[in-house]
Amino acid sequence: MEWKLTREPLASVATDAIIVFHSKERESTQGMAREIDEALGFRISSLITAGEITGKLGEVTQLHNWGKIPSGRVIVVGLGEGDQTDLHQFRHAIAAASRAAKQKGLKSLGIGCPSSIIDRYNAVDAVQAIVEGIELGTYEHQKYQSETKKRELKSVLISIPQLNEQAAQAGIERGQIFARATNFARYLSHEPANLLTPQQFVDHAKQVAEKRGLDMEVLDESRLADLGMQALLSVARGSEAGARMIVLSYRGAPESTEVLGLVGKGVTFDSGGLQLKPSPFMLDMKEDMAGAAAVLAAMDAIGELRPHSNVLAVIPVCENMVNGQAYRPGDVIRSFSGKTIEVAHTDAEGRIILADAISYAKRKGATRLVDVATLTGAVVVALGHEATGMMGNDEEWADEVKSAARIAGERMWELPMYKEYGIYVESEIADVKNEGGSPAGCIQGGLFLQAFAEETPWVHLDIAGSATAPRESGIFAKGATGVAVRTLIQLAVRFG
Ligand code: BES
Ligand code: ZN
Ligand code: ZN
């Protein structure tokens, strides 16, 4: 998509459509919308009076220009409660408007950056939000159909009367980097498991490493065996596809010993293993690598932004399948850390492969950790698809991740890690077990991983709910959301 800036008012730009905003409980149009409204002979105001335009967040109303302005159409989009509009809502509204424009087959858009948003935040963040709203809102998942309708939004012109060119340009660049990375994660998550095998995931990682000049190491099965990574190898044994551990490293602060470690669950398909998932629950399990996708996509963006920090990514990839070699309930596995794991449930495989990945990230020098994983159905019960479940062992580090998420506009909610919950992962024959019944299912996942993070400040993000959107809404297309990518990038930028 091509991005351009102008000082000219929206009423005089010539695009296929211009986007203007309206907030709830306002009887008339304001700011830029006012100018357009006047030019159109107050047609927008009359629709407001008629109750057809309410200003509800994401409400889209399309009007023609009646030959009164150079642009072909006017799209009025609701901003919700005007005085409280945050960047999250701002993106949501812009995404809804631009998606509607794309669906109509429009190719160029004009959009004004409301001065209220610039005043409350700043020009960089406001423009970044516009770019993210449009690039994320107009994203469409890969299709494999012989005939597809090809619609493409080609250019967007942002009108800012008091234009600070440098700030706006920085906002465009950041917005593009954050949105492209998110869309890359969406693409990977959405790919069917037969087209994105562990080896194909490795190939994607190689391309990222080459493009961004990152150091890359791929541990294959014999290397994994030499290192004693039986946790990852055990889960992978039920599949012909085998296991890989991908290690990517970005060194933007060579003088520092601080290293941000990002770990992502990369189960390219989760059948449940011998404790096979019931059919309806298996269908979406191609997305069980959304955590790995988020980490890889974030590394892509970090390699492009080049912040002053060191970032290490460790991504275990495999399938959880069934054959004569598959791991069994009751098996005891020695992990890379030396701790033994009792397999209480073969479908709680994510935490097992993450155990080795977290230990390896520490071995490789990570001083702070974040893992991202589609770990439990329980987090979907607790928080739905609207928020990521967050747990950790260090308050300060958890606060850091929370602020990064807030800035990125992603919702994360912390769950408690009281030590009384420890009974659920206590094993009678091994150091830990991977499942302890239905209570506190999401927290059990966190507690299990904590045993491997040990003293290193660590945050666990359970994205099993937030990685998929059940319906199209705001910046989300139905399906993979690319959640956590923007938070991770933000974290790496702030880490420096
Ligand atoms: N990949 C699933 C979790 C999941 C569920 C992701 C729904 C996306 C949507 C994970 O490996 C799993 O199967 N977890 C089990 C754990 C249980 C056996 C302790 C679960 O949540 O049922
Ligand atoms: Zn599972
Ligand atoms: Zn899984």
Side-chain angles (χ1 to χ4, degrees), residues 88 91 136 182 386-388 401-413 461 466 475-476 481-490:
H88 190 65
R91 266 188 221 97
L136 295 172
T182 306
E386 358 304 297
T388 294
V401 177
K402 276 184 214 163
S403 347
R406 201 175 318 112
I407 297 169
E410 298 194 301
R411 291 189 168 137
M412 302 195 173
W413 195 258
L461 300 177
S466 55
I475 59 169
F476 301 125
T481 59
V483 73
V485 172
R486 287 175 293 134
T487 299
L488 295 181
I489 305 170
Q490 200 68 56

Side-chain angles (χ1 to χ4, degrees), residues 74-240:
V74 176
I75 300 176
V76 185
V77 63
L79 257 191
E81 324 294 333
D83 305 325
Q84 291 138 27
T85 305
D86 58 17
L87 291 179
H88 190 65
Q89 290 168 299
F90 188 48
R91 266 188 221 97
H92 180 120
I94 291 169
S98 59
R99 183 184 296 119
K102 186 181 178 187
Q103 275 160 1
K104 278 269 172 351
L106 307 186
K107 305 257 179 286
S108 64
L109 280 181
I111 184 169
C113 189
S115 48
S116 59
I117 298 279
I118 299 187
D119 293 346
R120 194 123 37 90
Y121 298 90
N122 56 67
V124 183
D125 290 351
V127 172
Q128 179 175 351
I130 291 179
V131 175
E132 288 177 357
I134 294 180
E135 299 263 10
L136 295 172
T138 57
Y139 170 82
E140 284 178 79
H141 289 302
Q142 174 82 26
K143 291 210 174 79
Y144 294 94
Q145 291 164 327
S146 341
E147 273 173 52
T148 48
K149 269 190 241 137
K150 192 118 184 78
R151 291 168 305 203
E152 200 191 349
L153 186 60
K154 291 213 165 93
S155 69
V156 183
L157 180 59
I158 306 177
S159 152
I160 311 178
Q162 308 88 8
L163 178 64
N164 170 345
E165 179 105 30
Q166 220 181 345
Q169 212 60 49
I172 290 180
E173 225 175 273
R174 279 180 151 243
Q176 282 184 302
I177 292 174
F178 279 63
R180 275 195 212 126
T182 306
N183 287 340
F184 177 40
R186 290 173 171 183
Y187 159 77
L188 291 173
S189 305
H190 184 78
E191 279 289 86
N194 64 322
L195 302 178
L196 186 63
T197 61
Q199 183 53 46
Q200 280 162 316
F201 195 97
V202 170
D203 295 340
H204 278 290
K206 271 188 190 142
Q207 283 174 17
V208 169
E210 270 166 34
K211 191 161 61 174
R212 305 293 177 213
L214 308 175
D215 286 335
M216 178 168 177
E217 179 187 20
V218 182
L219 310 180
D220 61 11
E221 299 214 315
S222 74
R223 203 54 198 115
L224 291 168
D226 290 346
L227 287 165
M229 298 222 192
Q230 284 306 324
L232 173 56
L233 286 170
S234 298
V235 172
R237 244 184 8 236
S239 160
E240 306 289 312

Side-chain angles (χ1 to χ4, degrees), residues 263-266 316 349-359 371-373 375 449 452 460:
V263 176
K265 170 178 173 183
E349 82 298 337
R351 61 199 75 178
I352 299 182
I353 69 170
L354 289 173
D356 276 352
I358 287 173
S359 309
D371 80 72
V372 191
L375 209 70
L449 296 175
F452 297 88
H460 163 54

Side-chain angles (χ1 to χ4, degrees), residues 270 277 320 347-349:
D270 181 10
K277 283 183 186 292
N320 186 22
D347 198 9
E349 82 298 337

